[in-house]
Every structure is written in C-alpha cells, then in structure tokens.
Amino acid sequence: MIAAAMLPQAADAKSCSRQGEECRSWARTRVSARYFDTYINRCSAETNACIARCKTGIKVFVDVFDSPGSAQQYPIDECR
C-alpha cells in the first residue's frame, strides 16, 4: 500500500506551457494589482525561455517571483 503512494502520477508531468499557465494563475491570485502586469509578463517570458532551454535538453521552468536566495526550478517533462 505504501509503494502505491510512491508511484509517479501522470498529473505530475508538466510542459513549459502548462507550468507557465500555473505561474500566471498564481500571479492572478496572489500578486497585487501594482505588480500584476510585471509578473504576468515574467511568466510569459519564462515560458518561452523554458521551451528554448528544453529543446537543448535543460528541462526546467525557473521561478519568476522575487524571493530571497536562488530561484526555484520546476522539472519539465515536455518542451511545449
């Protein structure tokens, strides 16, 4: 029973576009109106950068939100 809980789920697979949409969705719900456009633009730019990186074999979406320390990276399974 424990082993079944450890199996990867199909829903965990992400594409750059899907992670970009999650980025925009997060911004819609948590970013103040003052910074909203900035973060939406960052999410879109990172989606394009993710696709370009992915095509070279580097499959990560880099967090666009300002935070102390290094940016978090989200693993990507599909480039598009």
Side-chain angles (χ1 to χ4, degrees):
M1 190 155 184
I2 293 173
M6 295 172 59
L7 292 175
Q9 303 295 314
D12 292 340
K14 300 264 180 157
S15 67
C16 291
S17 297
R18 181 167 173 196
Q19 189 66 43
E21 183 52 43
E22 287 186 19
C23 179
R24 287 183 289 280
S25 177
W26 190 93
R28 282 183 202 103
T29 61
R30 293 193 173 92
V31 175
S32 69
R34 180 178 179 186
Y35 299 107
F36 178 74
D37 288 339
T38 299
Y39 281 104
I40 292 298
N41 290 338
R42 285 182 184 182
C43 291
S44 296
E46 178 52 28
T47 299
N48 293 333
C50 177
I51 291 168
R53 260 193 317 274
C54 183
K55 289 179 179 179
T56 68
I58 303 168
K59 296 185 174 189
V60 294
F61 186 99
V62 179
D63 189 9
V64 302
F65 299 99
D66 293 329
S67 61
S70 61
Q72 184 170 344
Q73 297 182 354
Y74 301 95
I76 298 298
D77 295 321
E78 299 175 25
C79 295
R80 273 288 189 192

